[in-house]
Amino acid sequence: MTTPTADFLATVPLLSGLERSELLRFGELTREKFYPRGSVILFENDPGDSLFVVREGRVKVVLIGEDGREVILGVLSVGDHFGELALIDDRPRSAHVIAMEDSNLLVLRRDDFRRRVESSPTVAWSLLMELSRRLRRADDKIGGLVLLDVPGRIARLLLDLSEEARNPTIEKALTHQTIAQMIGASRETVSRAMKEFQDAHWVTVERRRITLADRAALEQRAQARL
Amino acid sequence: MTTPTADFLATVPLLSGLERSELLRFGELTREKFYPRGSVILFENDPGDSLFVVREGRVKVVLIGEDGREVILGVLSVGDHFGELALIDDRPRSAHVIAMEDSNLLVLRRDDFRRRVESSPTVAWSLLMELSRRLRRADDKIGGLVLLDVPGRIARLLLDLSEEARNPTIEKALTHQTIAQMIGASRETVSRAMKEFQDAHWVTVERRRITLADRAALEQRAQARL
DNA sequence: CCTTTCCTGTGATGGTCGTCACCCCACGCC
DNA sequence: GGCGTGGGGTGACGACCATCACAGGAAAGG
């Protein structure tokens, strides 16, 4: 459990395309660390010197306002990684990362990371792909925040999540509170909007599993103003 | 004017750190193209096969909703570049780009771009730095949209712009309309907020030059809730 | 120079959504 | 089994801000 198998590493998008021998080398540079649910993995404004890969569990990337309100920039699951920005540009952490469940993370130190990136065009290119993907998502999110009302943003989020899961049913536990923080809304408003979606038979909900029943209607709603 | 001087290329962040000879090679791969004010340089959802560098003028990156409302994701000036996302991940353009002024752009084709990135770790690293910077900005913007009210978002924008210009005075023409689209607000609300800022002597405005008179107060305002 | 377009200022009005204040329910834990 | 905590549902109220409707003034272009 302390040395990640090459099998796991091969599933990490960042490392896809690497030879098995390279994956093993990678594994050796890595430490595994456990974070219990709720613990803070890294703080905004910390100097950052590590890259993290989620081996088990789920973590959230959040901004926290002075008044304590949280904005969730992203939820990362097994195979996702975070913390590379600070390693690339040597600037402080741009957000907090908090474990949503008990999680095991692989930790890679700055120097090892940089050496890997500089010596392997494949890794560098994967990184560029990943950052591009995130940038597109971020811009999308900005568009959604400006152009859509709360129900529209929820519809979008649901469509995104189900697409990500390649499945019309979203299994993972997402509380209204969490959804609210992901789309910039209040818990109550999310509650009301979800109720409307159910009444309209666009989605069905059973003990925290959300199934999209009428994808077309949701898509409509997610673009009503976009 | 058709072959960019190495002097200009040296000022482009993407290419900083390259040898003069490399810059010249780069210049040869490049075509220059003129876009009059208001013309659309590229459309969302187009397949993209070029990278653009702003040689002269200014362009805006925008999302356009079905109802025609515009969200400005960014304003790019001399030395900035755009269009690399589609070249990296082979996905369609994520936004429109429109010339705000008569502009001259350097155009670099996909294959030449890729070859440069793959053969030069320096360029690859610069690209990573640039994407990191944008990602931080995007996340910041998301935080601002969720956590700040309109005056707060304006205060932030003004601080950002003056920092970018390394100058308490923002010279470039920004209409209220443009500001509104950058922060996700209406033109009227921006108008009223700017008036308040002037009445409070936080900024002074003279024929489209905005000077920050009380930076501390603005910073306060930009974090009141963040 | 004059006309047309673009930019700004300001009032009135209403909708969306955040906030507050409760409620109940499910579940895990002692 | 009680009990506490976290999640969900709902009503009332008000704030913020988009929208509509003008009006005046600068600027751009013939």
Side-chain angles (χ1 to χ4, degrees), chain B residues 73-89:
Chain B
L73 293 175
V75 173
L76 306 181
S77 309
V78 177
D80 293 325
H81 49 95
F82 61 93
E84 56 292 80
L85 288 201
L87 299 195
I88 290 171
D89 61 14

Side-chain angles (χ1 to χ4, degrees), chain A residues 194-205:
Chain A
M194 288 294 290
K195 179 125 212 314
E196 278 180 24
F197 286 4
Q198 293 179 62
D199 290 348
H201 300 291
W202 293 355
V203 303
T204 62
V205 180

Side-chain angles (χ1 to χ4, degrees), chain B residues 21-56:
Chain B
S21 63
E22 291 189 285
L23 291 177
L24 287 172
R25 277 234 316 273
F26 221 104
E28 287 163 14
L29 297 174
T30 250
R31 290 180 301 123
E32 183 156 5
K33 215 167 157 200
F34 172 76
Y35 293 88
R37 172 191 170 97
S39 60
V40 180
I41 298 159
L42 52 88
F43 283 93
E44 189 170 350
N45 296 326
D46 271 5
D49 73 334
S50 306
L51 168 77
F52 297 80
V53 181
V54 181
R55 173 96 191 259
E56 278 177 39

Side-chain angles (χ1 to χ4, degrees), chain A residues 35-38 56-59 98-103 172:
Chain A
Y35 293 88
R37 172 192 169 96
E56 278 176 37
R58 265 196 312 173
V59 305
I98 300 176
M100 297 175 77
E101 310 169 355
D102 289 353
S103 299
K172 291 294 193 166

Side-chain angles (χ1 to χ4, degrees), chain B residues 5-16 23 53-54 78-80:
Chain B
T5 65
D7 289 339
F8 168 69
L9 291 176
T11 67
V12 177
L14 218 205
L15 307 177
S16 68
L23 291 177
V53 181
V54 181
V78 177
D80 293 325

Side-chain angles (χ1 to χ4, degrees), chain A residues 140-168:
Chain A
D140 245 43
K141 198 159 179 172
I142 291 170
L145 283 171
V146 173
L147 295 172
L148 299 177
D149 59 9
V150 171
R153 310 211 287 268
I154 295 177
R156 257 216 196 181
L157 177 66
L158 294 178
L159 289 166
D160 278 359
L161 290 174
S162 91
E163 186 172 353
E164 198 169 315
R166 286 180 225 301
N167 194 317

Side-chain angles (χ1 to χ4, degrees), chain B residues 96-109:
Chain B
H96 305 263
V97 178
I98 299 176
M100 298 175 75
E101 310 169 354
D102 287 354
S103 299
N104 280 304
L105 307 181
L106 302 181
V107 187
L108 184 64
R109 303 233 133 236

